[in-house]
Every structure is written in structure tokens, then in C-alpha cells.
Amino acid sequence: MADNISYNAPRGMRDFYPEEMAKRNYIFDAWRQAATEFGFQQYDACVVESLDLLKRKAGEEIVDQIYAFKDKSDRDLALRPEMTPTLARMIVNKQGSLSFPVKWFALAQCFRYERMTRGRKREHYQWNLDIIGEESVTAETEVIAAAVRGLELLGLSASEVKIHFSSRQLLGELLVALGIDEKFHQAAFLALDKRGKITDEQIAKLLLDEGVSEAGTEKVFGLLNIKSLDDAEKLLPDETAGLKNIKDFEELSKVYGLEDILEFDISVIRGLSYYTGIVFEGFDAAHGFRAIFGGGRYANLLNSIGGKPQTAVGLGFGDVVIAEILSDLGRFDEINMAAEYAVAYMNDEQKETAVKVAVKLRSKAKTVDLALNAEIPKKFFKRCEKENFKKAIFIGPDDVEKQTVRIKDLATREQQEVKIEDL
Ligand code: HAM
């Protein structure tokens, strides 16, 4: 058996050695801080979920990517590909006792059996921000503004990011105005979302296979020429609910100072079937990576799993694409994984003093790396340099006698002598 063991993680899965873990923490810290600043509360759930909850019949890519298995009691289980169905289940489970609107966030590990490309792995972490039970577009703007704050905490300015938005409700109204029956809308959304991944001919075939006429298919493609809300308005007989909703969203987002980041883009549809209203995706403007995050309004997911109808808005922001962007920008270079102090000693006779010094510093909430064995000074200072400690304390026989330590600032090379009791 040992012969067959590979020491690499399974394809598409990731190991987090301390260096990668530090980067992950850097991202998670920003996410957690932004969510907390915006008043979201953290929740979590097990990555194993019932397969039934995750399967939907709409023909979405995500459903085909589920890692599914049976447990020993023949239950159909799966590793979650996304957090939203689990969130919906948790909300429905306590729908009678929660006070709405609920604002929750999660740092969720998700698994999808994907074709591996840049920015896509088979396992990723996703920052989820969701507001459940709020009809107004304040829910959309709050969620988006929190994500923008997260980007800002990671050092990405508004000028580096663009959020493209549209509305499935509006798109539905446009399809109706063009005479395309509602029964085809879901298929039209999912087909159009594949643009760029498959050819337009293949998309047209998908629509024709669903029963959309040839003329209808042409009209669906025609919609993609809409460049502004004004263009959309001209195609509609009067101001529809979806149009008003997206205009309200645009107005409110200006109050948040988001107008330079937001850009109407009719081609943003999203690949998940449960979205019903405004949908959006965040991009790094300069680098041409895949979406950094995506989300939208989903009004029917709770009732679709047997709960009372309640509307919701949310987004998922993955760690893979953002890590590539931060790495390209050199933002990870500033991460220092080392403790502030390194404490070492010459011989075993000084070990007790060294331990006491470390204990004392740690009691003052300092981070301290204590040498596990006696060490010669040359080796110790070389190690300090390599590991990037800020301050070094090397204890020799004289220090024990005088009950003092010499604290060396490793950047300035200045040394300060301090009585141990005054540390
Ligand atoms: P999604 O667009 O499928 O939405 O995923 C959201 C984000 O997760 C993507 O923009 C990307 O950053 C990241 N992501 C997804 N799949 C992968 C992958 N294979 N490798 C790396 N990163 C990935 C959702 O999952 C929705 N449940 C989001 C949501 C929450 N909507 C409402 N609430």
C-alpha cells in the first residue's frame, strides 16, 4: 500500500503549509472584519450535506459537479459545492423563532468537481454574506458595500475593481416584451450565462432544444446589445417592477458612493437557477481574472425547500481568485509570520532564565519564540534573520548573574539592557 501513496493532496485539493495558511488568514481576517463592521453575524455548518438538498433539476453546472457518496447506512450525502442551500435549510429550520431580517456571514469550504483552470480548484473557501427577509434594495447595497469594504481591507482600491450588475427580473420582462413565453426564461438565463464558455451556435442550439423558436432565439441574442437601462426602458411598454427595482438600486448605490464601481451589464446572468432579481459579479478591472465574487437576489429558495416564502440577497466571494490577484500585486510580501521576540540561550545553565524571560514576555501578550535547545550565538542570529523576528534576546552566563537581558532590535541593530524584573 505504501508504494501507492502520493504525498501531494488529491488533484484540485489544497494543503496549507504555514506560508499558505498565513495568506489564507490574511484574507479571512479582512473578510471577518468587513462583515463584522457591517453588522453581519457568523454562522457555520458541516461540509457534509444531504444530497437531496443540493440537487436541483434546472440543469445547472454546479449540480453535475457535486462530490456525492453514500454513508454506511446508505444515506445519500455530499460535500457542499456552495453554502446557500445549507443556509436556506438552517433558516427554514428556525424560521419561526429568528427575527428578520437576518444578516449572516460564513467562511465556508466548498467542493466542486471542476475542470481545473486558473482561479478554479476543486476545493475553495467562500466568504458568504446573506440578508434574509428584506425586500428593499438596501439588502443588495449592504451586501455589495460590505464586499467592497472587504476588498479595501485587502488593499484593493475602488479603482481596481468593477462590479457588473443586471437583473433577471428585468431580463424576464424584456423577454416577455419580445413575446418569449415565461416557461423558456429559466433555460434562456442558463444558456446565456454560458456565453464565453461555449460558442454562440451551441447556445442557440440549447435554446432551440428547449423549444424556443428560431426567431425567438435571435431575439434572445438581440437582448445582449442592450448597453444601458435607457436602452432597456425603450423596449418595455411601461415602467415594469424589475426596471423600477434596478433603478432604485442604482440610486441608492450612489448614496453609498458605489457609482464608480458599479456598471450595468446585461450579460451578467449567473449560473445558479435560484436568482430572481438583481444579480452581480465583481471583477478585477486591470487583470482579466475570472469573477472575484458573485451574488444576487433569490426570492424563492426558502419556499422551494418547504419553508415559508421569504426573500433573500447574498454573495459568495472565493479565496482562489483574490489570492492570485493579491499575489500578483505583491500584497502578500508584507505578511510576517514570525513572532516578535526570539529568545535563546548559550548553555543548559541559562535555560531556566530563558524560560522565565519567555514566560514574562508572553504574560505581557508579546509573541515569543523560545529556542528549544541551547544554541551558539552565530547560529541563533542567522536564524533570526531568516525567520524575520523583530527582537532577539540571547542569554549567556553574564546575563544570568546580573539578572538582565539584552534586547536587540534586529532592524536597527540597537541593543538595550533591561532588568528581567522590569521586563
Ligand atoms: P458562485 O458564483 O458559484 O456563487 O461562487 C461564488 C464565488 O466562489 C465565485 O465568484 C468564486 O470566487 C468562488 N468559486 C466558485 N467556484 C470555485 C472554484 N471551483 N474554485 C475557486 N473558486 C470558486 C455561489 O456559490 C452562490 N452560492 C453565492 C451566493 C451566496 N449567492 C447568494 N448567497
Side-chain angles (χ1 to χ4, degrees), residues 364-378:
K364 306 280 177 217
K366 302 290 181 199
T367 54
V368 181
D369 179 82
L370 172 66
L372 298 171
N373 291 293
E375 213 170 5
I376 58 168
K378 196 172 155 198

Side-chain angles (χ1 to χ4, degrees), residues 14 62 65 81-85 87 110-115 119-130 270-272 274-275 281-282 290-298 312-322:
R14 295 174 297 169
I62 195 170
Q65 296 169 334
E82 55 160 340
M83 194 61 166
T84 313
L87 170 67
C110 302
F111 297 83
R112 299 181 190 184
Y113 192 81
E114 291 237 26
R115 216 165 50 82
R120 281 285 179 275
K121 306 243 178 257
R122 291 186 176 161
E123 162 261 334
H124 70 283
Y125 283 90
Q126 216 186 75
W127 180 29
N128 275 246
L129 285 166
D130 288 86
R270 313 251 320 119
L272 299 163
Y274 48 69
Y275 294 114
E281 274 174 357
R290 301 179 64 134
I292 303 175
F293 61 81
R297 166 81 56 176
Y298 51 104
V313 174
L315 66 80
F317 183 147
D319 68 332
V320 179
V321 170
I322 192 69

Side-chain angles (χ1 to χ4, degrees), residues 170-184:
L170 175 66
L171 203 56
E173 290 162 353
L174 288 163
L175 290 170
V176 168
L178 294 174
I180 294 171
D181 198 280
E182 257 178 63
K183 69 177 184 218
F184 298 124

Side-chain angles (χ1 to χ4, degrees), residues 160-171:
E160 287 167 291
V161 191
K162 276 271 172 283
I163 300 169
H164 295 200
F165 70 95
S166 182
S167 160
R168 281 204 186 172
Q169 191 183 1
L170 175 66
L171 203 56

Side-chain angles (χ1 to χ4, degrees), residues 131-143:
I131 298 180
I132 299 107
E134 177 54 47
E135 296 275 354
S136 80
V137 289
T138 323
E140 274 89 346
T141 45
E142 277 290 299
V143 159

